[in-house]
Amino acid sequence: MAAVEHYRKNYGRIDATKITIAPENLPYINRIVNFARENGFINIAANTVAEADWTIEHAREYYKQLKELADNLLRDNEADVAITLFNSNDFKPLYLI
């Protein structure tokens, strides 16, 4: 966060970040996204590592994490938070304004 604070202090607001999901951090998706949200990030680009050896168990955990994340966003009424995990545009980049 020191780098983000430095950037914000010297250059202005930054509200976008990138998250890469791998099998090792899959159970922590919600914690990672919540950390980003708590620190003022409202545009969160996220994707999975294509080169990883994904399993059916990983798919189940991914689904569980995304469902929990969606429930949290809806509960918290976070309409202004954009997360590419919920982009129906085939994980193509979002153009952030």
Side-chain angles (χ1 to χ4, degrees):
M1 282 307 300
V4 171
E5 290 169 9
H6 171 79
Y7 185 94
R8 286 177 175 162
K9 178 181 175 188
N10 293 289
Y11 303 106
R13 185 166 184 235
I14 181 173
D15 64 2
T17 191
K18 170 76 171 70
I19 298 169
T20 302
I21 301 166
E24 296 79 13
N25 67 0
L26 187 60
Y28 308 107
I29 293 174
N30 280 289
R31 289 174 62 187
I32 294 167
V33 171
N34 286 338
F35 178 82
R37 289 171 50 209
E38 289 166 2
N39 285 282
F41 294 101
I42 59 171
N43 295 303
I44 303 170
N47 67 288
T48 57
V49 174
E51 298 83 8
D53 290 325
W54 295 98
T55 67
I56 295 298
E57 283 306 313
H58 289 132
R60 288 185 180 109
E61 180 65 25
Y62 187 56
Y63 176 83
K64 176 183 159 194
Q65 290 290 319
L66 291 183
K67 184 177 180 316
E68 184 179 321
L69 179 58
D71 289 344
N72 291 341
L73 292 170
L74 291 171
R75 181 197 66 228
D76 296 342
N77 197 25
E78 293 281 356
D80 61 337
V81 175
I83 302 176
T84 58
L85 293 170
F86 300 110
N87 178 11
S88 62
N89 201 14
D90 298 324
F91 294 101
K92 293 178 184 171
L94 292 177
Y95 295 99
L96 306 176
I97 298 173

